[in-house]
Amino acid sequence: MHSKNNIHIFFPVTCLILFILISVLSWREQLELIDSLIIDGLARWISPAIVMLMEGITKIGSGETILILTFLLSLYLLFKKLWKEIIFLYVLTLGGILLNFLLKVGFQRQRPGEMSSIEVFGNSLEITSYSFPSGHTMRSVLLFSFLIYLSLVYLNKLTIKTAIIFSLITMIFLVAISRIIIGAHFPSDIFAAITISITWFYLCLSGIRLTLLKELRFL
């Protein structure tokens, strides 16, 4: 029991430290060489067909797609009367979107390609969309991590649980790598997004667990 709790503490703390490290190095522009090496390495085997495929995959992490999936998922949770999970979902995803926006505005890192504005359902908000950390990656990690959490808690059959979790992790990887391949982000933007997303997920999860413990004490 203690070892399991230690893992739940060690993992997010490690991710937070990595995020801080990446952020500091990015702020000092000391990750340009590593970013370039990764981008050049990927470019050696990327074909136009792969780029087209990644342009489609990257839309999975768009704000519009994540909002729609979050809404549909919340309806399912509402139908199942899983109230705590609904709160968890919205704090996790909407809080993650706000966190991503604040980090982007705070760092104001230029994108590898042309700068663009934030768009919602095709409408430009006339707000500059900065590069660090990747919004698509953060949104994907948070939503799919929540689905992984649901799978671990509510699915009993090991084969189905394993298949779903593997598929969700694969989707996270594909969305993340697609942002680099289509030239929307630097690799360090992706690593930063993954580490801060995991940290935020565990922070929200801890908040839900503490709430449940307080309620049990009053029963």
Side-chain angles (χ1 to χ4, degrees):
M1 184 71 177
H2 289 292
S3 60
K4 187 176 181 180
N5 289 334
N6 289 336
I7 291 175
H8 285 310
I9 295 174
F10 175 79
F11 192 43
V13 169
T14 301
C15 286
L16 178 59
I17 293 172
L18 287 173
F19 173 75
I20 294 173
L21 178 62
I22 295 170
S23 299
V24 171
L25 293 176
S26 176
W27 186 272
R28 295 181 177 179
E29 298 183 351
Q30 295 178 341
L31 293 176
E32 294 181 355
L33 177 59
I34 296 176
D35 283 334
S36 297
L37 288 174
I38 295 174
I39 292 172
D40 291 342
L42 288 174
R44 293 174 184 173
W45 58 269
I46 294 173
S47 65
I50 292 177
V51 174
M52 288 183 62
L53 176 63
M54 290 299 168
E55 286 176 347
I57 290 176
T58 200
K59 293 178 181 178
I60 296 173
S62 68
E64 296 90 334
T65 301
I66 296 299
L67 285 174
I68 292 172
L69 291 176
T70 300
F71 176 72
L72 294 175
L73 181 56
S74 65
L75 288 180
Y76 173 78
L77 296 174
L78 183 64
F79 175 75
K80 291 292 185 177
K81 297 182 180 180
L82 299 173
W83 312 115
K84 286 292 188 300
E85 281 75 5
I86 293 174
I87 296 173
F88 183 14
L89 173 63
Y90 276 97
V91 171
L92 179 70
T93 54
L94 298 182
I97 290 173
L98 176 60
L99 176 61
N100 178 258
F101 176 76
L102 293 176
L103 289 172
K104 283 180 179 290
V105 172
F107 284 94
Q108 295 190 9
R109 187 184 193 185
Q110 302 295 307
R111 288 181 179 272
E114 295 182 0
M115 292 298 294
S116 58
S117 298
I118 296 176
E119 291 188 357
V120 179
F121 294 104
N123 298 313
S124 176
L125 300 180
E126 300 301 326
I127 300 174
T128 303
S129 178
Y130 293 107
S131 187
F132 186 94
S134 166
H136 280 65
T137 304
M138 276 192 69
R139 290 188 290 266
S140 300
V141 171
L142 292 174
L143 181 60
F144 295 146
S145 293
F146 180 80
L147 291 173
I148 290 172
Y149 161 78
L150 290 182
S151 300
L152 290 171
V153 173
Y154 292 104
L155 292 180
N156 296 319
K157 196 167 184 180
L158 182 60
T159 53
I160 296 176
K161 181 187 297 188
T162 303
I164 291 176
I165 291 175
F166 177 78
S167 299
L168 291 169
I169 292 175
T170 301
M171 288 309 304
I172 291 174
F173 172 77
L174 289 175
V175 171
I177 199 71
S178 73
R179 303 304 291 165
I180 303 173
I181 291 176
I182 68 173
H185 285 283
F186 297 103
S188 53
D189 300 332
I190 305 303
F191 297 137
I194 293 172
T195 52
I196 194 59
S197 296
I198 292 173
T199 304
W200 176 245
F201 173 83
Y202 274 94
L203 182 62
C204 293
L205 180 60
S206 298
I208 292 295
R209 286 176 172 171
L210 286 174
T211 302
L212 289 174
L213 285 175
K214 288 180 179 179
E215 289 184 356
L216 289 173
R217 289 174 183 173
F218 288 100
L219 292 178

